[in-house]
Amino acid sequence: MTEKPLTHKQALAAVIQALGGTWDTERAVLALRVSGYQPANDEAAGKEARRNLRELADGGLIVRPDSDQAVYRLA
């Protein structure tokens, strides 16, 4: 039986939980690329990373301590 690959959101969540620290778009893009995401270009990579960070924040895994900055940390 083959395992279903992780979604981008699941892969990013696993990396954030493993590494901790603060997470911005650039760090999230790197984590997604390491986990196998191959974006069409840098703009698409940033858009995907930001979308996943927002979804993880909405789900309560991470928080955005400063509403003026798009930087997140574990909740």
Side-chain angles (χ1 to χ4, degrees):
M1 186 164 117
T2 60
E3 289 187 33
K4 189 176 180 181
L6 296 176
T7 65
H8 298 152
K9 180 180 164 183
Q10 291 169 329
L12 184 57
V15 173
I16 289 173
Q17 288 175 314
L19 299 178
T22 58
W23 289 83
D24 60 8
T25 301
E26 185 177 334
R27 190 172 183 201
V29 165
L30 178 59
L32 287 170
R33 285 187 170 150
V34 168
S35 65
Y37 172 56
Q38 297 178 358
N41 54 47
D42 288 342
E43 183 179 345
K47 188 174 185 177
E48 179 70 5
R50 287 187 296 276
R51 183 181 64 78
N52 282 288
L53 287 168
R54 284 191 304 271
E55 287 181 8
L56 291 172
D58 290 344
L61 177 69
I62 57 178
V63 295
R64 188 171 160 184
D66 184 349
S67 62
D68 292 332
Q69 295 182 347
V71 177
Y72 299 82
R73 65 169 174 75
L74 282 171

